[in-house]
Amino acid sequence: MGRKSILKNRKEKNKKVEQWTQAMVPKLKKTDLGNLTMDDMSQLMNKSKSTIYQYFTTKEEIFEYITQTRINRLHAYKNEITGEIQQLDYQYNSLSLILAEGAKDISAFYLRQLQKHYPTAWKIIEDFLFVLLDDLKQFYVFGIEKKLFKPVSVDLLSKVDEFFIMQLITDDHFFTQTKETLESAIKDYLFLKFEGLLK
């Protein structure tokens, strides 16, 4: 009969843990996440496995933490949009910078691998993206009503956003055929969208 695993209390994650887990992300742009072992992750984070196990139980938990940390930073976009709507002073640049910062050092290949191998981490991203899509739709309605934006189809705008956000960001074939990065694609997309919308 095998030994039962003992559930240990994990240490509370702090800023240092955030730094060394986030530092691993740029190294995973072209890595098959399904083949990663804890030994690999230990090397990538430059930490011993015993140190990692003080904070995390599984690889899944590590990727959930990395993803949630990045998404927490992105929640700033909502405050940005809300504030600009209230002031009737929309600048797409601020939204662009916030979302591009969230995509910094992340590749479409990495996101597709996350979606494939770590569905609980991907769900964190997906939930955030659905909220973003809904917020953008409300923003278009408001902008058109206040005559900040041209009177175009909100449903069409939302559908284009949905395609870009839910499909293109995991299309690593597109990014391998161009010199675009996920970060630059977000900036260009928002530039094209909002410069075209503004009156």
Side-chain angles (χ1 to χ4, degrees), residues 15-30:
K15 203 71 180 168
K16 284 184 179 178
V17 176
E18 181 181 326
Q19 287 169 350
W20 47 261
T21 52
Q22 289 295 323
M24 179 174 70
V25 175
K27 301 170 187 174
L28 298 174
K29 286 184 178 180
K30 296 180 179 180

Side-chain angles (χ1 to χ4, degrees), residues 159-170:
K159 198 66 184 172
V160 172
D161 284 342
E162 184 181 339
F163 171 77
F164 177 80
I165 291 171
M166 303 308 289
Q167 301 293 321
L168 190 63
I169 64 167
T170 57

Side-chain angles (χ1 to χ4, degrees), residues 10-55:
R10 303 292 163 190
K11 286 186 178 179
E12 193 169 328
K13 296 165 189 71
N14 53 36
K15 203 71 180 168
K16 284 184 179 178
V17 176
E18 181 181 326
Q19 287 169 350
W20 47 261
T21 52
Q22 289 295 323
M24 179 174 70
V25 175
K27 301 170 187 174
L28 298 174
K29 286 184 178 180
K30 296 180 179 180
T31 303
D32 184 338
L33 301 185
N35 292 332
L36 269 185
T37 64
M38 283 302 275
D39 286 317
D40 295 330
M41 295 178 82
S42 170
Q43 286 182 349
L44 288 165
M45 288 188 264
N46 200 24
K47 297 291 171 190
S48 68
K49 280 204 299 186
S50 62
T51 299
I52 295 170
Y53 280 124
Q54 289 175 23
Y55 298 94

Side-chain angles (χ1 to χ4, degrees), residues 41-90:
M41 295 178 82
S42 170
Q43 286 182 349
L44 288 165
M45 288 188 264
N46 200 24
K47 297 291 171 190
S48 68
K49 280 204 299 186
S50 62
T51 299
I52 295 170
Y53 280 124
Q54 289 175 23
Y55 298 94
F56 301 99
T57 310
T58 63
K59 292 182 290 182
E60 287 82 359
E61 193 180 332
I62 294 170
F63 281 108
E64 286 168 19
Y65 175 74
I66 288 170
T67 305
Q68 189 62 63
T69 300
R70 187 68 67 108
I71 291 297
N72 288 346
R73 292 183 199 162
L74 282 181
H75 279 295
Y77 92 86
K78 189 175 176 80
N79 298 331
E80 196 70 47
I81 290 177
T82 304
E84 287 175 352
I85 286 175
Q86 289 170 349
Q87 296 168 32
L88 297 180
D89 181 28
Y90 175 71

